[in-house]
Amino acid sequence: MRILIISDIHANLHALRAVSKHAEGKYDRVACLGDIVGYGADPNGACEWVREYCATTIRGNHDRACIGDAVVQDFNDNAQLACAWTLQELTEENRQWLQNLPAGPLNVLDGGKEDFFICHGSPRDEDEYITDKMTACSLFSSMPGNVVFFGHTHWQGGYRIAPGRAWEMLPPKPTDADRLHLFDPDKGYLMNPGSVGQPRDNDPRAAYALFDSEDRMVRLCRAEYDIQGAQKAIIDAGLPSFLAFRLGEGI
Ligand SMILES: [Fe+2]
């Protein structure tokens, strides 16, 4: 099975459509790791795309915040403003759909026998950020399977982990041709596809991953998209201008 893994869309439909086009013909199903809304100007468009095309979807902290969950109190001012705006914009149908999204970890293949899972933050806590090797290796005993895809940090990359050890798995300058082999059944693999709609790893292109569950290969990919269009939509919506600025910088 070839799976398109997407995360942290953040209501950026310009980026989401570019990813869909960039990955066209290279996948059989789509899994979404949450944060579909929040920050960007098209929450309903993003929800409707995910509802139509994603076979497996879990919630992110912004999905919860944008429908009124108390987690919003932990957000900075720009994120809180964006959540309040999103709550007004969402149709009742999309709001209810977001409310009913499951938390991870969830099996990518609908309870199949494969051990590939998705979560938003980490396998032990949907709000935890995995940003370093020490955090990654501390998760070894919490791994629900050999391979876990996670989001939340908006940084593309990953870790191979063992008790007390972790190795980073991001090539220095990844290209679409780079394939990472998740080959070792005695290790754990934590892989982050990056953010579709608000990358923060200094590369403003939309990020995603392609995973082939038969040969256990992951490709970390980037797609150029109409960043100016997404920025204009944010400004036109009256959302904070910093949310537009950061898309151009990848921060
Ligand atoms: Fe996010």
Side-chain angles (χ1 to χ4, degrees), residues 177-213:
D178 285 325
R179 285 151 51 93
L180 301 169
H181 191 193
L182 314 185
F183 62 93
D184 189 342
D186 296 326
K187 302 286 190 303
Y189 293 92
L190 284 161
M191 302 302 304
N192 190 329
S195 168
V196 170
Q198 194 195 79
R200 296 178 191 161
D201 49 9
N202 302 307
D203 181 343
R205 295 175 300 165
Y208 67 96
L210 292 166
F211 176 55
D212 189 321
S213 63

Side-chain angles (χ1 to χ4, degrees), residues 4-12 15-16 19 30-37 49-50 54 57-61 63 118-121 149-155 191-199 206-209:
L4 168 62
I5 315 258
I6 55 175
S7 188
D8 297 281
I9 298 161
H10 284 294
N12 185 342
L16 183 57
V19 163
V30 190
C32 176
L33 281 52
D35 275 6
I36 297 139
V37 299
W49 193 98
V50 172
C54 294
T57 304
I58 54 170
R59 68 188 189 184
N61 53 324
D63 303 319
I118 57 173
C119 65
H120 185 66
F149 290 91
F150 71 99
H152 198 34
T153 64
H154 299 209
W155 297 347
M191 302 302 304
N192 190 329
S195 168
V196 170
Q198 194 195 79
Y208 67 96

Side-chain angles (χ1 to χ4, degrees), residues 47-111:
C47 285
E48 277 142 28
W49 193 98
V50 172
R51 288 171 62 187
E52 183 168 358
Y53 295 109
C54 294
T56 316
T57 304
I58 54 170
R59 68 188 189 184
N61 53 324
H62 283 260
D63 303 319
R64 282 152 51 217
C66 288
I67 54 171
D69 187 292
V71 71
V72 74
Q73 288 161 14
D74 300 332
F75 286 9
N76 63 37
D77 289 352
N78 284 334
Q80 288 200 12
L81 283 166
C83 274
W85 180 87
T86 302
L87 186 53
Q88 284 183 334
E89 282 293 305
L90 283 170
T91 64
E92 181 57 21
E93 199 177 335
N94 286 330
R95 199 193 63 75
Q96 281 189 14
W97 174 74
L98 285 169
Q99 195 156 26
N100 290 324
L101 283 177
L106 206 66
N107 195 294
V108 180
L109 298 176
D110 285 341

Side-chain angles (χ1 to χ4, degrees), residues 122-124 128 130 133-148 159-167 184-190:
S122 91
R124 70 181 161 208
E128 180 177 21
I130 308 174
K133 289 195 282 187
M134 192 176 288
T135 307
C137 81
S138 75
L139 290 161
F140 189 77
S141 60
S142 306
M143 295 286 280
N146 183 231
V147 177
V148 175
Y159 303 91
R160 183 162 57 101
I161 60 173
R165 289 199 73 182
W167 299 261
D184 189 342
D186 296 326
K187 302 286 190 303
Y189 293 92
L190 284 161

